[in-house]
Amino acid sequence: MTSDPIDVLAIGDNDFPFHRFEEMGPHIADAVGSERIDVALTTEKGALEAPDADVVLDYLTDSTLTDGQQEGLLSFVKSGGGYFGLHCASDLTSTVPVDDEDVLDSRDEPIEELRDLVGGHFLTHPEQSAYGVRIVDSHHPITVSAPDLRVFDEPYVVDVSESVRVLARMDHPDHADMPVLWVQEYGDGRSAYCSIGHTVSTLSNPDVAALLRNCVRWSAGE
C-alpha cells in the first residue's frame, strides 16, 4: 500500500436548482477529504478526457458527455483508475432543459456505457425523509467496520445490475430492499456507487463520511 495521498477529482454541475455543485461540492470535499485523501473540485467535463487523479468522484446530474469525455473516463477506469459515483451520478437520463421554463429534460434510456460503469441507474425517488441504511455485507473493506446508519436524505429507487456486489440496502417503509451501496470491478479498475448524499446533514454525518472515505480508498485500489 502506498503512503502517497489519494488524489480525487470530484466533478459536478450547477445546471439544476438541486445538486448544485457550488453548494454541495465543498461539503463533499469535507466529507471525503483527509490527511491521505486530497480532493479537487471541478465543473469542467473536459477534465474527464484525461483525469489527473487516482479516483473520479462523480456528482453529475446531467451525464451528457462528448465522445472524448466519455471515452476518457471509461478508459481511465478500465486501465486501473478508480470511479466513485455519489448520489446523482446514477441519474443517467436527466438532461439540461431546452426550454428555460422547464426544470429538466430527460432521455428515454440511460447511456448504456455509463450504466455499465455505475452498475445501475436511478429510476425515481419519493420525498426526502429519514430512513435507515443497513449494512448487508460486512466482509468487504468498505463496510467491514461500518455501522448501520440513519439519514435524512433523498431515497433513490434504482435498477441495479445483477453482477454488482451490494453492500448496503435501504430501510425505508416503501423501499426496504432497495440497494444503496454497491461495488464492482471494471476492467483493471474499480467502481463504487452510493445513492445517499443529497443533503448537507447526510454528508456531515461522521459515519457517512467514514463510509464515503472507504469507498474512495477501495476505488483507489487500497
Side-chain angles (χ1 to χ4, degrees):
M1 181 183 299
T2 178
S3 60
D4 294 335
I6 298 170
D7 290 324
V8 176
L9 177 66
I11 185 168
D13 50 42
N14 297 311
D15 298 315
F16 305 92
F18 44 85
H19 306 151
R20 291 184 64 83
F21 203 58
E22 62 183 6
E23 174 188 357
M24 300 305 296
H27 295 289
I28 292 170
D30 286 344
V32 171
S34 71
E35 291 183 0
R36 291 206 56 249
I37 301 176
D38 294 335
V39 182
L41 304 176
T42 186
T43 57
E44 297 297 327
K45 291 181 176 179
L48 297 177
E49 294 184 6
D52 184 16
D54 300 304
V55 175
V56 170
L57 191 160
D58 181 358
Y59 200 76
L60 290 167
T61 300
D62 184 351
S63 57
T64 304
L65 303 176
T66 66
D67 290 345
Q69 292 162 2
Q70 180 171 301
E71 181 55 33
L73 174 60
L74 299 180
S75 296
F76 166 75
V77 185
K78 286 178 181 177
S79 62
Y83 173 85
F84 177 30
L86 183 61
H87 190 55
C88 47
S90 67
D91 185 352
L92 302 177
T93 56
S94 292
T95 61
V96 175
V98 175
D99 190 332
D100 291 340
E101 295 184 0
D102 294 330
V103 175
L104 57 79
D105 285 340
S106 64
R107 57 177 63 89
D108 293 333
E109 298 291 337
I111 300 167
E112 182 177 356
E113 294 83 357
L114 294 180
R115 189 190 185 283
D116 289 343
L117 174 64
V118 175
H121 71 284
F122 162 82
L123 297 175
T124 187
H125 65 78
E127 293 182 358
Q128 294 180 43
S129 61
Y131 61 92
V133 176
R134 293 180 290 111
I135 303 301
V136 295
D137 184 346
S138 60
H139 300 287
H140 191 277
I142 290 176
T143 48
V144 65
S145 60
D148 291 343
L149 305 169
R150 185 84 179 162
V151 298
F152 183 87
D153 210 77
E154 191 173 63
Y156 268 17
V157 177
V158 291
D159 181 80
V160 180
S161 300
E162 293 182 0
S163 58
V164 304
R165 179 174 175 178
V166 176
L167 305 182
R169 293 182 179 273
M170 192 183 299
D171 185 8
H172 185 280
D174 299 319
H175 306 284
D177 197 43
M178 191 60 55
V180 171
L181 171 63
W182 62 81
V183 296
Q184 63 173 335
E185 306 289 332
Y186 186 84
D188 291 332
R190 293 175 169 182
S191 168
Y193 173 77
C194 183
S195 69
I196 60 176
H198 181 82
T199 64
V200 173
S201 65
T202 294
L203 293 172
S204 60
N205 180 318
D207 289 331
V208 171
L211 191 66
L212 301 186
R213 287 193 297 271
N214 285 349
C215 288
V216 168
R217 295 187 185 102
W218 180 83
S219 299
E222 294 191 357

